Amino acid sequence: MTYLCEIPIQLTNLYAAAANRWRGCDWETEFGPARLNLANLRSVQLHLLVSATAGQESQNWAEAESWLQQVEKDAYLAEDAAYRATRQYVAGDLPGALASINEACELEAKYHQELVWAPLRDFLQSEAEKSRDS
């Protein structure tokens, strides 16, 4: 791959600061009729609870597990999109980088108000504005 620009240290720092910060449900919840708090739990942990319980309690945990799997999948997809955005920027594809980082932020916005990927998005938007102005 031929790189069309040097890798700005700010880009590297912004990606590194956000990478691995959002992996799943990292906020307080009251999920379902049982009002389960899923904060900082992983779907694999809930899978164990589904197996260890019975009846309605097991069903509650199963529904929570399914929801948490989706949150974890979206977190993974958002990080992948952010990584893709950095690669696109370095390769000189600023429009592609903006599309990818916007994808990351849209995925995350379903769950967070303060987006982990917003600083990287803001940097790329600023770079696009500089590019338009020059």
Side-chain angles (χ1 to χ4, degrees):
M1 169 179 270
T2 303
Y3 294 106
L4 301 178
C5 67
E6 290 185 29
I7 302 173
I9 192 72
Q10 187 177 2
L11 177 77
T12 303
N13 289 342
L14 288 169
Y15 179 81
N20 296 311
R21 276 194 41 213
W22 178 44
R23 288 283 173 218
C25 181
D26 55 5
W27 63 92
E28 300 294 316
T29 66
E30 292 185 358
F31 183 85
R35 303 173 59 144
L36 302 171
N37 184 4
L38 306 176
N40 301 313
L41 294 174
R42 302 297 307 243
S43 63
V44 295
Q45 294 170 302
L46 298 190
H47 185 74
L48 295 173
L49 289 168
V50 170
S51 301
T53 57
Q56 185 59 49
E57 184 178 10
S58 180
Q59 180 62 35
N60 291 341
W61 288 119
E63 290 169 7
E65 176 189 17
S66 178
W67 179 80
L68 203 48
Q69 286 172 339
Q70 185 61 53
V71 174
E72 291 166 356
K73 178 181 176 185
D74 285 344
Y76 171 82
L77 292 172
E79 185 154 336
D80 184 62
Y83 178 73
R84 199 168 57 250
T86 63
R87 304 264 314 186
Q88 290 166 316
Y89 176 81
V90 170
D93 181 9
L94 187 52
L98 287 169
S100 292
I101 197 59
N102 285 333
E103 178 186 335
C105 288
E106 287 170 15
L107 284 162
E108 186 184 2
K110 295 190 290 187
Y111 307 102
H112 289 143
Q113 288 184 356
E114 291 185 36
L115 305 180
V116 167
W117 295 111
L120 182 58
R121 180 198 58 205
D122 296 346
F123 170 79
L124 292 172
Q125 287 175 339
S126 172
E127 291 297 295
E129 288 170 15
K130 287 180 200 174
S131 176
R132 280 191 295 271
D133 292 343
S134 58

